[in-house]
Amino acid sequence: MTRIDAKFAELNAAGKKAFVSYVMAGDPDYDTSLEIIKGLPAAGVDIIELGLPFTDPMADGPTIQLAGQRALDGGMTMEQTLDLATEFRRVDDTTPIVLMGYYNPIYSRGVDRFLMDAKLAGIDGLIVVDLPPEEDAELCIPAQAAGLNFIRLATPTTDDKRLPKVLQNTSGFVYYVSITGITGSAEAEATNVGPEVARIKSKTDLPVIVGFGINTPEKAENIASVADGAVVGSAIVSQIAEGKSVNEVLAFVKSLADGAHRA
């Protein structure tokens, strides 16, 4: 059982929905990023989604693209991203960390080396958005063999013919993208999301977490009420981009987490 599996078992036993927060590793700089990440569990975050900075993040909107650019401009690397996770694990050994990114940096490091290093750093799962199920032998299956969950995205365009393929080797949870388009580009609506979550849940026992288009505590509550939890990324990253203090960022995160936990 991974930390992700254990977290969902704990939430399920308590009758609670999950709140997942996304932050870009190294944004606005390594030390501030580490301070924010260390504060996330106390702010109510159940699972941390940690962005791996990359030069061509095709699924991400301008907010997260700029966060990645700030991190890269500050010298952030794969090595330092794993160091962030390692440092976090010195103070928290239970909160799951999902590394979200693209395949190129992983391929450059070498899959075997990357998986070994990620496991040692305390990473629990991977979201690699540019590797479709047809490429599972590349990273997904080796990751699962190494004890890491491989989390797949389903979208409004994932029809009933495609869905079984998407779910085939997915573990940990299913990430449902609530809108068509990039992160931060539109708002999620529970009336649209609910039936899609139900459709996915009819095909899998995995929790279904919804992200994209969630930017207020009310929206987090509404979306979590029709799913197993909610993910917020761009809205949190925007607070960091605006130069808010660590405490201000964490207070905003807590308001979102409280919303999701009310569902």
Side-chain angles (χ1 to χ4, degrees):
M1 181 181 274
T2 66
R3 289 186 187 93
I4 296 170
D5 300 327
K7 176 56 71 174
F8 279 111
E10 174 194 320
L11 289 166
N12 197 41
K16 286 178 70 176
K17 301 299 180 77
F19 180 69
V20 183
S21 70
Y22 172 97
V23 289
M24 178 66 72
D27 177 38
D29 55 66
Y30 181 94
D31 290 340
T32 307
S33 180
L34 178 59
E35 199 177 343
I36 290 169
I37 292 164
K38 283 182 174 178
L40 291 174
V45 172
D46 299 302
I47 298 172
I48 297 168
E49 190 183 342
L50 185 62
L52 176 62
F54 181 53
T55 51
D56 190 22
M58 66 183 80
D60 297 306
T63 301
I64 290 176
Q65 284 185 19
L66 288 168
Q69 200 56 56
R70 287 192 297 272
L72 292 169
D73 289 347
M76 201 65 185
T77 61
M78 164 83 79
E79 197 70 46
Q80 286 186 301
T81 301
L82 295 174
D83 286 347
L84 267 182
T86 302
E87 287 299 316
F88 175 81
R89 285 284 170 240
R90 295 187 200 281
V91 297
D92 186 311
D93 195 41
T94 56
T95 304
I97 301 175
V98 175
L99 193 65
M100 186 275 182
Y102 298 83
Y103 187 47
N104 187 284
I106 296 168
Y107 178 80
S108 297
R109 192 177 187 84
V111 167
D112 291 344
R113 181 186 171 201
F114 166 76
L115 291 173
M116 182 177 69
D117 292 346
K119 188 73 177 166
L120 283 171
I123 301 295
D124 303 290
L126 304 174
I127 298 174
V128 183
V129 295
D130 54 349
L131 274 183
E134 287 75 13
E135 306 295 338
D136 274 359
E138 197 79 21
L139 179 64
C140 171
I141 291 167
Q144 310 240 53
L148 295 168
N149 289 125
F150 199 88
I151 295 140
R152 190 87 68 193
L153 274 63
T155 74
T157 59
T158 306
D159 60 18
D160 287 339
K161 185 180 176 184
R162 180 66 175 167
L163 186 58
K165 190 76 174 172
V166 169
L167 296 174
Q168 186 172 275
N169 290 311
T170 299
S171 65
F173 61 91
V174 179
Y175 187 135
Y176 179 68
V177 175
S178 66
I179 57 171
T180 51
I182 52 177
T183 57
S185 63
E187 293 202 2
E189 297 296 340
T191 50
N192 299 330
V193 169
E196 288 298 297
V197 170
R199 181 172 69 93
I200 295 166
K201 287 180 76 67
S202 73
K203 306 292 185 186
T204 179
D205 293 331
L206 291 171
V208 179
I209 306 300
V210 177
F212 286 48
I214 303 168
N215 49 23
T216 66
E218 294 72 29
K219 190 71 76 175
E221 180 178 2
N222 289 342
I223 294 298
S225 73
V226 297
D228 295 302
V231 186
V232 179
S234 293
I236 296 168
V237 171
S238 291
Q239 297 276 309
I240 297 168
E242 289 167 16
K244 299 283 179 71
S245 69
V246 170
N247 286 340
E248 287 172 317
V249 172
L250 293 174
F252 177 65
V253 171
K254 185 177 187 306
S255 74
L256 296 164
D258 288 347
H261 291 148
R262 280 196 298 270

